[in-house]
Amino acid sequence: LKLLLQKEYTFIYSGNGLDYKKVEKIRQDWISVKDAVVDFDRDAMNKFFVQDIGPDIDIVEQNGTLKVLPGEGVRSAEVSEIVRDGRKLQVEESVANLVKTIENGGSEVALSVSLVRGKIVNKTGADFPDLVLLGEGRSNFKGSPAGRDFNIRKGLSEKFHNVILKQGEEFSFNSYLGAVTYSNGWKGALAIFGGSTLSMVPGGGLCQVSTTVYRAILNSGFWPSERHNHSLYVHYYTEYGDGLDSTIYPGQRDLRFTNDTGGYLVIQAYAEGDDGYVRFYGVPDGRKTELSGPFYSGKVPEELKDRIKVGWNQIKWLHKVTRSDGLEEEHEITSTYRTAPR
């Protein structure tokens, strides 16, 4: 018992936006030894997790409320809040992990934590269920110059936050963006022209927004009817989906997809720190999405070499959607650049 009480244990968890580590010694009331047999007081352990670890882990989810559906010609919903996911420490499972670690002579205790998804609650009076998360797009714009940073945050929060799509309605990125001019509040930042030239224009950096939307499209089980990758390999798009970028230019290049679910689709878009988020909330129809990649030249898994051929200046992915009836749809995503990816 004396040896056990001197030993330190590290309680760890990583995931859902949290990297957690706490070092503790066994408490006197957790454990007893009689006739060389160790006995555990699980109620005392339970109390420790609830009082000492739970407050560091637990976050209550935040739901949004949809009270009124948009009228004719209005394409944005009024949702009360940005939906936030929560976390909940699973105490009984964590206690079991602690007991197992002690019995096996280990020193690291894995905490069991569940993700509690927020949702958009339907208070419109219309007959459809609450909207739940279908998928998320994420990108990082750390190091962006001031103008680019401003345009990204403005594009996310002002142009695409709470966009609502009816069943069967097509989404066009450019149609929601509108005129990108200095008089409309956009800042000057660099953008690619002619495939290789960088020029200062109003709205430079908005492709970070379209890239984030594109990733949400894919992760939610949709397939875009129009998408164009950048001509140059851009380092801002490496994180969270290298090669999954989407460039736009009003009147020339757009990003489009159709809401083919059985109900409304609400898009929430925002920035936290230097990360941009686009999240799709809708009525799940049983589809499952699998996104495999990135695949680079000379770095394709052996089992896929017969199917995927990647050029020196390309990045490829596989996008597979399995419908509730078992029907499978698979697309190969190819991004071809004038320069080689990292």
Side-chain angles (χ1 to χ4, degrees):
L1 178 59
K2 184 181 293 185
L3 290 173
L4 286 174
L5 293 176
Q6 291 174 349
K7 186 174 181 179
E8 289 187 336
Y9 290 84
T10 304
F11 298 82
I12 57 173
Y13 173 75
S14 182
N16 300 322
L18 176 67
D19 287 315
Y20 180 83
K21 181 181 291 187
K22 186 181 183 72
V23 179
E24 290 280 346
K25 289 183 178 180
I26 291 180
R27 306 287 175 88
Q28 181 74 51
D29 60 344
W30 291 0
I31 194 168
S32 61
V33 179
K34 184 178 181 180
D35 298 329
V37 176
V38 177
D39 187 37
F40 300 99
D41 187 333
R42 292 177 182 257
D43 289 338
M45 290 179 166
N46 187 301
K47 184 178 179 181
F48 162 75
F49 280 104
V50 170
Q51 294 184 350
D52 290 63
I53 293 186
D56 297 332
I57 301 288
D58 294 348
I59 295 178
V60 178
E61 73 278 13
Q62 177 174 285
N63 295 327
T65 302
L66 178 62
K67 295 183 178 180
V68 181
L69 290 173
E72 189 67 28
V74 179
R75 302 193 295 177
S76 293
E78 292 186 14
V79 180
S80 60
E81 303 283 352
I82 293 177
V83 179
R84 309 282 187 184
D85 294 332
R87 290 190 304 261
K88 182 66 177 176
L89 177 68
Q90 299 302 299
V91 174
E92 297 298 331
E93 293 178 17
S94 297
V95 168
N97 291 343
L98 172 57
V99 170
K100 186 176 180 180
T101 299
I102 296 172
E103 290 178 334
N104 293 339
S107 61
E108 289 193 348
V109 182
L111 300 174
S112 179
V113 180
S114 64
L115 177 66
V116 184
R117 291 290 190 190
K119 59 187 177 181
I120 295 178
V121 180
N122 173 25
K123 294 290 187 179
T124 65
D127 185 19
F128 62 90
D130 296 337
L131 307 181
V132 299
L133 183 68
L134 302 182
E136 174 187 276
R138 188 176 178 183
S139 70
N140 180 272
F141 51 95
K142 183 179 180 180
S144 292
R148 187 178 194 274
D149 184 283
F150 175 89
N151 292 333
I152 293 166
R153 296 178 191 276
K154 174 181 170 69
L156 288 167
S157 63
E158 291 187 14
K159 297 298 181 180
F160 297 98
H161 184 56
N162 286 337
V163 162
I164 188 167
L165 300 174
K166 299 176 183 177
Q167 179 184 5
E169 185 176 357
E170 183 185 52
F171 169 91
S172 162
F173 187 93
N174 288 341
S175 70
Y176 286 92
L177 191 59
V180 183
T181 62
Y182 290 115
S183 61
N184 281 340
W186 299 102
K187 302 290 188 181
L190 294 176
I192 302 171
F193 283 87
S196 59
T197 302
L198 291 175
S199 300
M200 186 70 69
V201 296
L206 281 171
C207 290
Q208 187 92 37
V209 180
S210 58
T211 290
T212 314
V213 173
Y214 173 55
R215 292 173 180 178
I217 291 170
L218 296 176
N219 288 324
S220 301
F222 301 107
W223 182 250
S225 53
E226 183 181 354
R227 171 257 175 177
H228 309 271
N229 68 269
H230 289 75
S231 55
L232 300 179
Y233 180 78
V234 181
H235 73 88
Y236 290 118
Y237 308 132
T238 58
E239 198 169 359
Y240 308 123
D242 196 14
L244 299 179
D245 58 287
S246 177
T247 184
I248 55 92
Y249 190 77
Q252 297 182 23
R253 297 195 171 193
D254 202 355
L255 174 64
R256 300 173 180 268
F257 80 99
T258 298
N259 172 21
D260 62 356
T261 68
Y264 286 100
L265 184 70
V266 172
I267 300 174
Q268 290 214 318
Y270 55 92
E272 285 188 349
D274 294 321
D275 279 355
Y277 295 84
V278 173
R279 310 186 92 192
F280 286 6
Y281 291 88
V283 180
D285 56 11
R287 73 181 73 183
K288 296 180 179 180
T289 306
E290 183 180 348
L291 195 57
S292 304
F295 305 123
Y296 305 92
S297 178
K299 295 183 179 180
V300 178
E302 194 66 35
E303 65 272 16
L304 294 175
K305 285 185 176 179
D306 292 338
R307 295 176 53 196
I308 300 178
K309 306 298 180 184
V310 186
W312 67 272
N313 59 339
Q314 292 181 327
I315 302 176
K316 292 194 176 185
W317 291 71
L318 288 178
H319 182 252
K320 181 180 178 181
V321 175
T322 304
R323 303 279 179 171
S324 58
D325 59 3
L327 181 66
E328 294 182 353
E329 303 170 11
E330 187 172 80
H331 298 92
E332 184 177 293
I333 301 170
T334 302
S335 295
T336 302
Y337 307 99
R338 291 192 179 189
T339 51
R342 290 182 178 178

